[in-house]
């Protein structure tokens, strides 16, 4: 296994274990909320939801390292099922230093904070924050469970499994009918971006089916997160933006902090992340 592939798989496994399994398990069991059967059902649901794309990624890395996709070019679209492989994209090939994880993380923290602040300040923009826990728990724990395990599980399922998986099927369909690899790549990404965003909306509409504002907001969130994933072949943008939206939405809804505090958090976080971003940008562009 190549080093980059190994790091990608390790990162995916660790993210799944800590964010989808360990952290919510600690909050649920530590606070006694796990005694409610409804809470456990939701917890296991998110675990299953996030685990399936992890298995698929193991398979794609296994096949890629054995030259399977070079031998079967029509199946090349399935090679794109990844957690972080921006080198697969035109953006990554043109700006390889700017799509490294150490640059993307602070950049998208800034974007995510702005998005979260918009959710909090607008008062009408809803991102479909899940209600994981039935029963009375502390506001802080409720805030944590509004972010995890839903954000990581849905990021794995929709932004990796559905978006990139459908890219593979659409690429196969187009390539098999004589469409060039370049246009198969473009159209598979555009069509899958739209389809997955609609599927993301349908998934959330079970809760927000009668709220038109929420439906529009959730669809917009799907377009944003799936769009960034299609452009970068990385879950970093989707996870940070989705997580920030849930965090600020739940905090405002529960009265944990006001819109003014949300703006302050966003500004301070942007300044700190901006310093880190500028440091790595200068470092990478300087050729160090």
């Amino acid at each position: 296994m190549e080093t980059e592939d190994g790091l990608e798989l390790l990162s995916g496994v660790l993210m799944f274990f800590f964010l989808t399994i360990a952290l919510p398990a600690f909050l649920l069991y530590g606070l006694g909320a796990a005694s409610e059967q409804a809470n456990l059902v939701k917890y296991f649901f998110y675990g299953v939801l996030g685990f399936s794309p992890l298995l698929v990624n193991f398979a794609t890395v296994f096949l890629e390292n054995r030259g399977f996709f070079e031998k079967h070019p029509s199946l090349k679209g399935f090679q794109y099922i990844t957690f972080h492989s921006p080198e697969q994209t035109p953006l990554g090939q043109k700006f390889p230093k700017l799509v490294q994880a150490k640059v993307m993380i602070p950049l998208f923290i800034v974007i995510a904070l702005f998005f979260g602040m918009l959710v909090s300040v607008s008062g009408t923009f809803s991102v479909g924050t899940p209600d994981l826990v039935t029963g009375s728990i502390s506001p802080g724990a409720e805030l944590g469970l509004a972010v995890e395990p839903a954000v990581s599980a849905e990021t794995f399922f929709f932004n990796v499994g559905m978006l990139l998986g459908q890219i593979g099927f659409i690429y196969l369909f187009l390539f098999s009918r004589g469409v060039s690899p370049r246009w198969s790549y473009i159209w598979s990404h555009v069509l899958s971006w739209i389809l997955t965003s609609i599927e993301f909306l349908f998934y959330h509409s079970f809760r927000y089916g009668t709220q038109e504002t929420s439906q529009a907001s959730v669809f917009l969130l799907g377009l944003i997160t799936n769009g960034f994933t299609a452009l970068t072949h990385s879950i970093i943008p989707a996870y940070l933006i989705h997580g920030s939206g849930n965090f600020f939405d739940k905090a405002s809804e529960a009265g944990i902090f006001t819109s003014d505090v949300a703006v302050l958090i966003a500004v301070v976080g942007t300044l700190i992340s901006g310093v880190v971003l500028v440091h790595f940008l200068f470092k990478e562009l300087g050729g160090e």
Side-chain angles (χ1 to χ4, degrees), residues 185-197:
Y185 178 96
I186 293 172
W187 279 113
S188 64
H189 280 67
V190 171
L191 293 175
S192 183
W193 168 53
I194 297 171
L195 283 173
T196 308
S197 299

Side-chain angles (χ1 to χ4, degrees), residues 97 100 102 279-288:
K97 293 184 177 181
Q100 296 181 72
K102 60 184 178 182
H279 166 72
F280 283 122
L281 280 176
F282 275 107
K283 185 176 180 180
E284 292 304 319
L285 294 177
E288 295 182 17

Side-chain angles (χ1 to χ4, degrees), residues 173-189:
F173 176 83
L174 295 174
F175 188 89
S176 300
R177 281 152 182 78
V179 180
S180 69
R182 178 173 179 269
W183 283 105
S184 293
Y185 178 96
I186 293 172
W187 279 113
S188 64
H189 280 67

Side-chain angles (χ1 to χ4, degrees), residues 24-58:
F26 173 78
L27 292 174
L28 283 171
Y29 283 92
L31 299 167
S35 60
E36 295 281 346
Q37 183 179 3
N39 298 337
L40 280 181
V41 170
K42 295 175 186 177
Y43 172 65
F44 287 121
F45 166 76
Y46 283 119
V48 172
L49 192 71
F51 186 64
S52 50
L54 195 64
L55 288 178
V56 174
N57 187 241
F58 270 100

Side-chain angles (χ1 to χ4, degrees), residues 2-288:
E2 297 180 4
T3 303
E4 290 186 0
D5 291 335
L7 289 174
E8 178 188 338
L9 284 174
L10 178 61
S11 299
V13 170
L14 290 176
M15 180 178 176
F16 175 80
F17 175 76
F18 284 108
L19 298 180
T20 313
I21 302 297
L23 176 61
F26 173 78
L27 292 174
L28 283 171
Y29 283 92
L31 299 167
S35 60
E36 295 281 346
Q37 183 179 3
N39 298 337
L40 280 181
V41 170
K42 295 175 186 177
Y43 172 65
F44 287 121
F45 166 76
Y46 283 119
V48 172
L49 192 71
F51 186 64
S52 50
L54 195 64
L55 288 178
V56 174
N57 187 241
F58 270 100
T60 57
V61 169
F62 177 85
L63 294 173
E64 181 181 359
N65 287 333
R66 282 151 183 79
F68 177 84
F69 298 109
E70 284 72 21
K71 299 174 184 175
H72 303 85
S74 63
L75 299 176
K76 185 176 177 60
F78 292 104
Q79 183 180 350
Y80 301 141
I81 300 177
T82 178
F83 300 127
H84 180 76
S85 298
E87 70 280 356
Q88 296 175 342
T89 68
L91 183 67
Q93 293 165 5
K94 191 170 184 179
F95 305 104
K97 293 184 177 181
L98 301 183
V99 293
Q100 296 181 72
K102 60 184 178 182
V103 175
M104 288 182 65
I105 289 175
L107 170 62
F108 281 98
I109 285 178
V110 172
I111 295 173
L113 286 171
F114 177 80
F115 178 79
M117 181 184 68
L118 175 64
V119 170
S120 179
V121 172
S122 70
T124 58
F125 192 99
S126 174
V127 293
T129 309
D131 182 17
L132 181 64
V133 174
T134 301
S136 177
I137 61 173
S138 69
E142 189 175 351
L143 181 59
L145 288 167
V147 178
E148 290 300 349
V151 174
S152 58
E154 291 173 8
T155 299
F156 278 125
F157 184 77
F158 285 101
N159 303 116
V160 176
M162 297 299 289
L163 174 73
L164 301 178
Q166 287 176 139
I167 284 174
F169 283 109
I170 297 171
Y171 187 100
L172 171 62
F173 176 83
L174 295 174
F175 188 89
S176 300
R177 281 152 182 78
V179 180
S180 69
R182 178 173 179 269
W183 283 105
S184 293
Y185 178 96
I186 293 172
W187 279 113
S188 64
H189 280 67
V190 171
L191 293 175
S192 183
W193 168 53
I194 297 171
L195 283 173
T196 308
S197 299
I198 294 172
E199 291 154 1
F200 185 77
L201 171 62
F202 284 167
Y203 166 81
H204 285 85
S205 68
F206 289 107
R207 179 181 179 187
Y208 294 102
T210 60
Q211 300 180 27
E212 293 181 2
T213 302
S214 296
Q215 285 185 322
S217 301
V218 169
F219 183 56
L220 178 60
L221 175 63
L223 289 173
I224 293 171
T225 56
N226 287 310
F228 276 124
T229 305
L231 283 173
T232 63
H233 284 194
S234 172
I235 62 174
I236 291 173
Y239 178 79
L240 292 175
I241 293 171
H242 192 171
S244 178
N246 277 26
F247 177 84
F248 279 87
D249 184 42
K250 188 64 176 181
S252 299
E253 178 188 322
I256 296 174
F257 54 69
T258 64
S259 297
D260 291 338
V261 175
V263 173
L264 179 62
I265 293 173
V267 170
V268 172
T270 296
L271 290 174
I272 295 172
S273 299
V275 170
V276 177
L277 174 61
V278 170
H279 166 72
F280 283 122
L281 280 176
F282 275 107
K283 185 176 180 180
E284 292 304 319
L285 294 177
E288 295 182 17

